[in-house]
Amino acid sequence: MANDLRFLIVDDFSTMRRIVRNLLKESGFTEADEAEDGVAALHKLRNGKFDFVVSDINMPNMNGFQLLTEIKSDDKLKHLPVLMVTAEARKEDIVAAAQGGAAGYIVKPFTKATLEEKVNLILKKVGLG
């Protein structure tokens, strides 16, 4: 069942989106789409069907925290688990992510094992795993 889940990977660097997508694929999650920032992600989320969002924090136009706020304030999207990804392990970012309703947080660079473990933990928490 988990393999049918649709992921949206949000990052302004195409290389990072590709890395996350490949790591998810190796973990058995083959359904994924990509967005280059929060604005594009929100458009895709509102017009498509997704089960999970993996979002970078630092992006132009709309950053990961703004995207998280938009998702959590939208009745059609607020159920979506959001895994925040960042290059900086700043304590205030971790707190802000948690307070904003993020399901989890990982710091770049991360391994397939870290991503897989975090995604599976979140899926169990929200009843999809």
Side-chain angles (χ1 to χ4, degrees), residues 37-39 42 46 55-73 84 96 100:
D37 62 33
V39 175
L42 211 50
R46 288 185 172 144
S55 177
D56 187 26
I57 288 177
N58 298 315
M59 298 179 289
N61 304 323
M62 182 190 288
N63 69 32
F65 290 131
Q66 293 164 319
L67 175 61
L68 181 63
T69 301
E70 289 289 331
I71 289 171
K72 294 304 172 185
S73 62
M84 305 299 281

Side-chain angles (χ1 to χ4, degrees), residues 3-71:
N3 297 8
D4 297 339
L5 296 176
R6 274 186 56 81
F7 283 75
L8 182 62
I9 302 157
V10 191
D11 199 302
D12 52 327
F13 287 108
S14 59
T15 304
M16 195 62 210
R17 292 195 305 266
R18 196 165 51 246
I19 289 168
V20 172
R21 191 177 200 151
N22 288 337
L23 291 175
L24 286 170
K25 194 179 283 183
E26 286 173 29
S27 301
F29 303 106
T30 54
E31 291 295 312
D33 196 359
E34 301 175 13
E36 67 276 4
D37 62 33
V39 175
L42 211 50
H43 180 75
K44 287 189 177 198
L45 289 168
R46 288 185 172 144
N47 294 293
K49 167 139 179 40
F50 292 92
D51 303 292
F52 202 110
V53 179
V54 179
S55 177
D56 187 26
I57 288 177
N58 298 315
M59 298 179 289
N61 304 323
M62 182 190 288
N63 69 32
F65 290 131
Q66 293 164 319
L67 175 61
L68 181 63
T69 301
E70 289 289 331
I71 289 171

Side-chain angles (χ1 to χ4, degrees), residues 98-129:
Q99 286 174 337
Y105 190 97
I106 52 177
V107 180
K108 297 184 229 182
F110 51 84
T111 62
K112 173 185 170 246
T114 302
L115 180 65
E116 192 173 340
E117 182 184 329
K118 203 61 132 170
V119 166
N120 286 324
L121 194 70
I122 292 167
L123 290 174
K124 277 192 188 75
K125 219 190 316 185
V126 298
L128 292 170

